[in-house]
C-alpha cells in the first residue's frame, strides 16, 4: 500500500492526465443542459419518474481511466442498451452461424417496437429491435429459469466490473404493461422463430431491461467492447475477441433505431440507445462513451445524448471513417483533429 504522500502524488498525476477531457465534458454538460426538448418515456410507468434534468456524461479509456461529469452516478434501468450485450452472450453460447439462422442483421427502418418480421427468412430483422431482442434472449442457456438469469447477470457484471441487480419496481412495471412484447413473442412462436417457453423468455427479457446501472458503469461497458472484450479496469474477459466485431457491427447499423442511418453518417460510431435516456458509443481500440439524459426525441433516443455524441465526433474526428484519427492515450484522443 503506498504511503499517504505517494498516494496523493499518484492521484494528482491522474487528475492532471484527465484534466483536458474533464474540461471538455464539463463544457459539453454546460452547453447542452439547457436543451429542453424531448419527452421522458412513460409507456413503462416506472420510467416516468425520471427527472428531465438528469444529465450525466462519462468516458472510459482502454487503459482504465474514467472521467465523468454531471449525474453520472444516477442509477437507471438499462432497457434496450442491454441488447448488444445479450447478443454477445448468444454468440458465445451458440456461435455466429447458428445465431444468424435465428436472427437477421438487417436494419428495419421501423420503430423499435414495431410488429414487423421477415417472414421470407423466418427471422426477426435484427437483434436490437424488440422482436430480435426477444429472440436473442430466448437463446440464453441454462437448465432452468434461475440459471438463465444467473448467466445473464453474470455476463453484465463482467462488463460493468461489479455485480449488477434487477430493479424490481421497473421489472414489475415492464411485466404489467408489456402486452406489445407479448404479442411480438407469440407471433414469433407462431412462425417457429422462438422456443415454446414464451412466458419464461419474456420474464427474462423484462428482467434484462430492468437491470440497474449508471453512466459510469455504461462507459466501462462500452470501453470493454473498445478493448476487444476485456474489461479495462478488472482485466476480466466479458466477450471473446472474435465476437466483438459482430456486436459492434450490429450496433453501427441498427443501434439507434430508425435513426441509425443518419447516426452512422453524422456520428459514425457503434452505439446503442435506450428509452431510459442512455446512449452508449464505442471508439474501437480507444474508449467508450456513455451519456444519460431521460428526455427522448420522437425516435426514442436521448436528445442530449445525441447532441453530446455528435459534438464529440465532429469536434475530435471520432467518426469511424475519418482516416486521420489516431491516439494512444485518453488525453491524446481528445486533442482536436487536424483539418
Amino acid at each position: 500500500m503506498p504511503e499517504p504522500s505517494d498516494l496523493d502524488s499518484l492521484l494528482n498525476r491522474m487528475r492532471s492526465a484527465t484534466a483536458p477531457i474533464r474540461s471538455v465534458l464539463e463544457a459539453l454538460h454546460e452547453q447542452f443542459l439547457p436543451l429542453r426538448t424531448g419527452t421522458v418515456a412513460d409507456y413503462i410507468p416506472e420510467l416516468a419518474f425520471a427527472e428531465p434534468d438528469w444529465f450525466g456524461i462519462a468516458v472510459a479509456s482502454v487503459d482504465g481511466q474514467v472521467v465523468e461529469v454531471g449525474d453520472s452516478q444516477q442509477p437507471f434501468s438499462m432497457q434496450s442498451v442491454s441488447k448488444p450485450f445479450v447478443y454477445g452472450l448468444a454468440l458465445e453460447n451458440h456461435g455466429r452461424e447458428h445465431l444468424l439462422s435465428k436472427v437477421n442483421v438487417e436494419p428495419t427502418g421501423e420503430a423499435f417496437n414495431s410488429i414487423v418480421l421477415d417472414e421470407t427468412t423466418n427471422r426477426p430483422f435484427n437483434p436490437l429491435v424488440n422482436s430480435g431482442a426477444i429472440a436473442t434472449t430466448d437463446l440464453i442457456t441454462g437448465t432452468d429459469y434461475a440459471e438463465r438469469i444467473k448467466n445473464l447477470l453474470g455476463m453484465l457484471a463482467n462488463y460493468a466490473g461489479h455485480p449488477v441487480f434487477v430493479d424490481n419496481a421497473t421489472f414489475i412495471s415492464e411485466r404489467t404493461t408489456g402486452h406489445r412484447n407479448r404479442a411480438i413473442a407469440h407471433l414469433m412462436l407462431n412462425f417457429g422463430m422462438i422456443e415454446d417457453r414464451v412466458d419464461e423468455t419474456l420474464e427474462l427479457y423484462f428482467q434484462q431491461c430492468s437491470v440497474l446501472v449508471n453512466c459510469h458503469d455504461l462507459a466501462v461497458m462500452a470501453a470493454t467492447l473498445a478493448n476487444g472484450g476485456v474489461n479495462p479496469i478488472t482485466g476480466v474477459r466479458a466477450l471473446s475477441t472474435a465476437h466483438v466485431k459482430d456486436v459492434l457491427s450490429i450496433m453501427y447499423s441498427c443501434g439507434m433505431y430508425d435513426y441509425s442511418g443518419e447516426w452512422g453518417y453524422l456520428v459514425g460510431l457503434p452505439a446503442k440507445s435506450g428509452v431510459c435516456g442512455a446512449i452508449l458509443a464505442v471508439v474501437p481500440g480507444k474508449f467508450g462513451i456513455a451519456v444519460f439524459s431521460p428526455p427522448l426525441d420522437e425516435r426514442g433516443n436521448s436528445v442530449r445524448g445525441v447532441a453530446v455524441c455528435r459534438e464529440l465526433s465532429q469536434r475530435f474526428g471520432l467518426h469511424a471513417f475519418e482516416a486521420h484519427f489516431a491516439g494512444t492515450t485518453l488525453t491524446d484522443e481528445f486533442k482536436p483533429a487536424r483539418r
Side-chain angles (χ1 to χ4, degrees), residues 3 7 42 59 70 84 125 135 138 155 181 187 192 233 256 264 280 291 337:
E3 294 295 325
L7 186 58
D42 60 4
V59 172
F125 277 96
D138 189 56
M155 174 272 295
N181 285 324
L187 185 61
I233 295 176
M256 299 296 289
L280 167 154
V291 187

Side-chain angles (χ1 to χ4, degrees), residues 126-139:
N126 69 70
L128 302 188
V129 292
N130 286 13
S131 57
I134 292 168
T136 304
T137 300
D138 189 56
L139 294 170

Side-chain angles (χ1 to χ4, degrees), residues 22-326:
R22 182 174 299 281
S23 296
V24 169
L25 298 188
E26 287 174 345
L28 289 174
H29 190 273
E30 182 179 0
Q31 177 182 353
F32 293 117
L33 182 59
L35 195 58
R36 302 295 178 186
T37 57
T39 305
V40 175
D42 60 4
Y43 72 97
I44 300 170
E46 193 66 22
L47 297 182
F49 292 109
E51 293 290 338
D53 285 340
W54 285 343
F55 182 22
I57 310 171
V59 172
S61 70
V62 297
D63 61 3
Q65 296 182 77
V66 182
V67 183
E68 54 194 290
V69 300
D71 300 306
S72 60
Q73 295 294 317
Q74 173 62 46
F76 53 86
S77 58
M78 292 188 75
Q79 301 297 323
S80 288
V81 179
S82 63
K83 293 173 181 176
F85 301 107
V86 176
Y87 185 66
L89 179 60
L91 282 166
E92 297 275 75
N93 289 341
H94 301 281
R96 179 194 242 194
E97 293 308 314
H98 181 74
L99 199 52
L100 277 173
S101 75
K102 295 292 186 179
V103 184
N104 210 340
V105 290
E106 295 296 332
T108 67
E110 304 283 347
F112 65 93
N113 60 353
S114 294
I115 305 179
V116 179
L117 302 169
D118 187 350
E119 297 178 29
T120 303
T121 63
N122 209 42
R123 293 176 291 175
F125 277 96
N126 69 70
L128 302 188
V129 292
N130 286 13
S131 57
I134 292 168
T136 304
T137 300
D138 189 56
L139 294 170
I140 294 176
T141 58
T143 56
D144 55 20
Y145 178 76
E147 186 173 331
R148 294 176 77 201
I149 188 66
K150 179 181 177 182
N151 290 340
L152 169 69
L153 295 178
M155 174 272 295
L156 292 172
N158 288 340
Y159 281 98
H162 60 79
V164 295
F165 304 96
V166 172
D167 179 60
N168 196 53
T170 303
F171 169 60
I172 296 300
S173 192
E174 294 260 4
R175 176 202 270 171
T176 303
T177 60
H179 307 302
R180 191 177 186 90
N181 285 324
R182 288 190 179 89
I184 291 171
H186 281 279
L187 185 61
M188 289 194 294
L189 177 63
N190 179 69
F191 287 109
M193 296 179 182
I194 61 175
E195 298 293 328
D196 188 13
R197 51 178 179 183
V198 177
D199 291 339
E200 181 178 304
T201 289
L202 282 168
E203 290 282 291
L204 191 59
Y205 178 71
F206 295 146
Q207 297 251 13
Q208 162 192 325
C209 292
S210 303
V211 170
L212 284 182
V213 293
N214 58 38
C215 207
H216 174 107
D217 296 332
L218 212 56
V220 173
M221 297 173 83
T224 299
L225 290 173
N227 196 38
V230 176
N231 186 303
I233 295 176
T234 65
V236 171
R237 178 166 291 283
L239 182 66
S240 65
T241 302
H243 292 141
V244 169
K245 70 178 185 299
D246 295 332
V247 172
L248 294 181
S249 295
I250 201 69
M251 288 171 65
Y252 192 92
S253 62
C254 305
M256 299 296 289
Y257 303 129
D258 48 330
Y259 181 65
S260 295
E262 190 170 345
W263 172 276
Y265 187 82
L266 296 174
V267 181
L269 294 173
K272 186 69 194 83
S273 64
V275 294
C276 53
I279 293 179
L280 167 154
V282 178
V283 183
K286 307 298 179 181
F287 51 90
I289 302 167
V291 187
F292 169 61
S293 175
L296 310 176
D297 61 24
E298 66 279 2
R299 289 160 168 166
N301 299 316
S302 169
V303 173
R304 293 189 186 107
V306 170
V308 168
C309 291
R310 281 190 62 173
E311 185 69 17
L312 284 173
S313 179
Q314 293 172 7
R315 188 187 304 184
F316 300 104
L318 304 183
H319 195 291
F321 303 127
E322 293 212 36
H324 63 256
F325 175 67

